[in-house]
Amino acid sequence: MGARSLVLIAALAVGLVSFCFTGHPEAAWPLAQIDDYLLNILILAGINVILAVSLNIVNGHTGQFSLGHAGFMAVGAYGSAALTQLNGKACLASLSFLGSAAPLGLFVLSLLVGGLLAALAGLAVGLPSLRLKGDYLAIVTLGFGEIIRVMIQNTESLGGARGLAGIPNHTTLGWTWLVSLISIYCVGSLVNSTYGRGFLAVRDDEIAAEAMGINTTRYKVTAFVVGAFFAGLAGGLYAHFIGYVTPEGFSFLKSVDVVVMVILGGMGSTAGVTVAAIGLTFLNEALREAEQYRMVAFALLLIILMITRPQGLLGGLGGLARWLPGKGGKS
Amino acid sequence: MSTLLAVEKVTVRFGGLVAVSEVDFHVNEGELVGLIGPNGAGKTTLFNLVTGVYTPTTGRIHFDRKLVNGLNSSSITEMGVARTFQNIRLFNSLSVLDNVVAAFNLHLQSGFLGALWRGAAFRSEEKQIRNEALALLEIFGLQAAAQSPCRSLSYGDQRRLEIVRALATRPKLLLLDEPAAGMNPTEKVDLMRLIRFTQEQFKLAVLLVEHDMKVVMGICERIAVLEYGRKIAEGTPEEIQKDRRVIAAYLGEEVTDA
Ligand SMILES: Nc1ncnc2c1ncn2[C@@H]1O[C@H](COP(=O)(O)OP(=O)(O)O)[C@@H](O)[C@H]1O
Ligand SMILES: [Mg+2]
């Protein structure tokens, strides 16, 4: 990655951080002009970007087929809500040394805890699933997602099927897009290095990768863990945006949504997947009136894309893609 | 000269088929050994056994005096065995250069965290790997194509790239599975000269599968012959040339043992 894209990312990050700490997004210029509806969609778009970019390291770069991303998101959402909502008072008390920043500190901490718990779940799923390929792996990860959901549904202390309400609304546009940029940076930098060529080698040919001394098992587990960590962060952001979580919100259909974003964007293209995640979030909103046709629209979109651009929206493109670390700044 | 690879009474069965049967075989350090035999004789299977793609049903394989039976392919490569594939297996979505860079993974100092942090040590290592990869490509005349997708290379160049990629792992033993397949006679001679050169340059032991007898006889110090999974002969090129069972195996004559 060239210095140019580093500078770009740093500038954006600084700009975003500066209004992360203003609390209410409406207070921050230039977002004061944006209406609430658009603001909400932009936050959802940011969360979807995190989900899509992080699933992309598993499904796109490493070539494994995971269908359980919503499960990792659920772990992050409930894990973070457990700190801020279920044990909010006690946690705030122990962070009282932060003064008035304690709620914000707890929010950040809870996001990290959610991400780490999800990463652990990623390790737990990744290790035993490694002998499986293609459809079999897809089925196992799908099963994992459903197991998580059912487990939460049957855990009374997590609200059971009713879910958890009253989660503090800490998530702002700034936080969401800050985490989005961090996930784009991390996945992009990982892949765009000699180390990261290992992920792509595993995707292209496992036997050849092993023969070149690339430990395919370790790479696959790493991809799962990194993907799950960011899915967990996305889950935490989502919980603190919506204010309540239910097991139903993390069903198999949510995983499918993210897979569609990755396929539309182009497996392994960070820029493409980012654009697809934003585009599909808006499409989702546009189709809110016609909810039952949403999946039909998605299917049609996929078919059209497969015919016209089988490599994905931005797959194999220079231009915009070069501005994002996923495609490498050189050449 | 000490033994680098020792294959002892190795057998592998696939269901009822015995693909390699009781093969005894060794390669010394720095030696260039030929492995020949008709199609289906078990040469590729022997490579797959040595590199850990298959585990022997019975028998032992030692590399550098360490038992390698049952190890992962990647661990065996880490010990110093590299190979090319008869049916080319490049990393198809990567450029020519990145195919080679990927194979430097093994000796990488800055791993996961280095790639995230991208500090000075990381950047200088990336640069050094890139330069080393380009230097290797240059030996095989591929440096001009470094940025092209590897799929765009000609068949022969893809085979050369496979050798370069294998060299990037810094092996002690290089296994070449029909590296000259599909090349014309001049290309073949050039490639063999190149193999000889890299063998001396990098002080490698090479095990070479090649069908062209003239080529094998011209370059190998020692030759082993497989037929139906068994080793039927071993010796210097002169000895092999005169061996009746080898002649029979290649010309399909019947051998009546006295
Ligand atoms: N994985 C496998 N399963 C079943 N049979 C195999 C397998 N690999 C190789 N064989 C068989 O082993 C024999 C030797 O094959 P191979 O090693 O490819 O021969 P060569 O490389 O000498 O032409 C062939 O009969 C082949 O069909
Ligand atoms: Mg063969």
Side-chain angles (χ1 to χ4, degrees):
Chain A
M1 179 171 49
R4 187 182 49 176
S5 36
L6 267 178
V7 169
L8 180 78
I9 286 171
L12 280 170
V14 169
L16 285 167
V17 170
S18 60
F19 72 82
C20 283
F21 292 95
T22 56
H24 272 280
E26 292 86 348
W29 186 90
L31 297 168
Q33 278 84 26
I34 297 181
D35 65 52
D36 277 1
Y37 181 59
L38 182 58
L39 186 76
N40 287 349
I41 300 176
L42 285 175
I43 290 178
L44 282 176
I47 292 172
N48 281 333
V49 166
I50 304 169
L51 288 170
V53 167
S54 60
L55 182 66
N56 197 27
I57 194 170
V58 180
N59 287 27
H61 299 117
T62 318
Q64 308 301 298
F65 202 106
S66 167
L67 259 178
H69 221 48
F72 299 124
M73 191 187 175
V75 172
Y78 275 88
S80 63
L83 287 193
T84 55
Q85 199 268 6
L86 288 174
N87 304 298
K89 283 220 174 68
C91 291
L92 278 179
S94 56
L95 288 175
S96 56
F97 63 90
L98 288 175
S100 62
L104 201 61
L106 178 59
F107 169 57
V108 174
L109 184 72
S110 77
L111 285 185
L112 285 175
V113 168
L116 290 175
L117 285 175
L120 271 181
L123 186 68
V125 186
L127 278 176
S129 323
L130 287 165
R131 291 176 181 279
L132 303 171
K133 294 202 167 83
D135 305 351
Y136 298 101
L137 182 64
I139 289 165
V140 166
T141 50
L142 186 160
F144 154 79
E146 291 299 288
I147 288 170
I148 291 279
R149 195 171 60 78
V150 171
M151 269 168 58
I152 295 172
Q153 217 157 47
N154 290 296
T155 308
E156 265 318 303
S157 59
L158 289 176
R162 280 169 291 114
L164 277 182
I167 303 169
N169 297 98
H170 284 304
T171 301
T172 61
L173 186 65
W175 278 114
T176 311
W177 280 92
L178 179 67
V179 179
S180 299
L181 284 178
I182 293 174
S183 66
I184 290 173
Y185 171 81
C186 286
V187 171
S189 324
L190 273 185
V191 171
N192 190 30
S193 64
T194 301
Y195 170 80
R197 292 288 173 260
F199 294 109
L200 310 180
V202 170
R203 170 187 68 191
D204 283 356
D205 193 322
E206 280 191 36
I207 290 181
E210 277 280 331
M212 296 308 126
I214 292 166
N215 187 330
T216 53
T217 307
R218 193 176 310 152
Y219 271 97
K220 287 190 217 166
V221 174
T222 305
F224 259 98
V225 171
V226 171
F229 174 74
F230 283 107
L233 291 187
L237 286 167
Y238 180 76
H240 291 85
F241 165 62
I242 295 285
Y244 67 92
V245 285
T246 59
E248 278 316 307
F250 305 104
S251 71
F252 161 66
L253 285 179
K254 181 66 203 174
S255 295
V256 172
D257 274 2
V258 187
V259 169
V260 171
M261 289 167 193
V262 169
I263 295 177
L264 274 179
M267 300 263 212
S269 155
T270 305
V273 161
T274 304
V275 172
I278 297 171
L280 283 185
T281 310
F282 276 90
L283 184 70
N284 250 336
E285 288 308 316
L287 293 176
R288 192 162 282 280
E289 310 285 285
E291 179 69 29
Q292 65 270 43
Y293 297 115
R294 198 171 65 95
M295 279 298 164
V296 178
F298 274 25
L300 279 177
L301 251 182
L302 276 181
I303 293 170
I304 293 168
L305 190 91
M306 287 301 140
I307 294 169
T308 55
R309 281 197 68 79
Q311 67 279 57
L313 221 50
L314 297 185
L317 268 191
L320 171 63
R322 253 191 290 134
W323 280 86
L324 290 159
K327 292 302 270 184
K330 296 196 187 77
S331 87
Chain B
M1 208 187 285
S2 64
T3 308
L4 189 60
L5 174 74
V7 174
E8 295 156 22
K9 285 210 169 306
V10 163
T11 299
V12 68
R13 288 195 192 88
F14 299 111
L17 180 98
V18 185
V20 168
S21 174
E22 304 260 310
V23 168
D24 271 307
F25 178 70
H26 74 279
V27 178
N28 294 325
E29 274 172 20
E31 200 181 18
L32 205 167
V33 182
L35 183 63
I36 64 172
N39 271 328
K43 306 178 295 292
T44 299
T45 305
L46 191 62
F47 274 23
N48 284 334
L49 287 165
V50 171
T51 54
V53 177
Y54 303 145
T55 311
T57 312
T58 59
R60 296 151 154 275
I61 301 172
H62 289 270
F63 182 76
D64 239 357
R65 288 185 217 86
K66 289 184 270 301
L67 190 68
V68 300
N69 290 35
L71 288 184
N72 280 342
S73 279
S74 55
S75 325
I76 294 174
T77 307
E78 213 172 321
M79 294 167 72
V81 183
R83 71 176 290 183
T84 65
F85 294 90
Q86 181 180 354
N87 50 338
I88 300 169
R89 283 177 172 272
L90 290 168
F91 302 129
N92 272 327
S93 71
L94 301 186
S95 69
V96 169
L97 179 64
D98 278 342
N99 263 275
V100 186
V101 165
F104 275 98
N105 211 282
L106 195 55
H107 302 284
L108 206 55
Q109 300 294 316
S110 58
F112 183 88
L113 292 177
L116 283 180
W117 185 247
R118 301 180 107 73
F122 165 85
R123 275 174 285 139
S124 80
E125 190 180 21
E126 291 286 302
K127 198 179 222 168
Q128 180 213 327
I129 285 174
R130 202 184 141 83
N131 290 339
E132 259 186 75
L134 284 170
L136 282 177
L137 284 170
E138 187 158 14
I139 297 177
F140 284 78
L142 292 169
Q143 77 280 21
Q147 303 298 342
S148 330
C150 68
R151 275 167 307 179
S152 70
L153 292 182
S154 73
Y155 195 64
D157 280 346
Q158 291 194 17
R159 289 203 177 281
R160 273 184 270 266
L161 178 55
E162 276 225 347
I163 301 178
V164 174
R165 189 179 64 168
L167 287 173
T169 67
R170 299 184 192 141
K172 295 178 192 154
L173 171 65
L174 180 60
L175 310 176
L176 300 173
D177 201 347
E178 305 198 17
M183 293 186 182
N184 66 37
T186 3
E187 283 178 316
K188 255 184 203 183
V189 170
D190 285 347
L191 181 69
M192 291 307 148
R193 207 173 287 146
L194 221 49
I195 289 172
R196 193 84 226 204
F197 170 79
T198 42
Q199 182 221 356
E200 280 159 14
Q201 178 91 354
F202 298 99
K203 304 195 169 41
L204 293 174
V206 177
L207 182 57
L208 172 72
V209 172
E210 168 55 45
H211 279 299
D212 192 324
M213 281 303 203
K214 243 200 291 190
V215 168
V216 180
M217 299 287 171
I219 162 174
C220 295
E221 297 154 37
R222 195 154 57 81
I223 295 170
V225 190
L226 288 184
E227 190 191 17
Y228 297 122
R230 294 182 176 278
K231 188 175 82 175
I232 57 168
E234 186 176 350
T236 62
E238 298 74 43
E239 288 165 345
I240 294 300
Q241 243 161 349
K242 285 184 234 133
D243 192 288
R244 290 185 53 223
R245 293 186 64 179
V246 177
I247 295 167
Y250 270 84
L251 302 180
E253 284 170 14
E254 211 155 313
V255 175
T256 40
D257 276 316

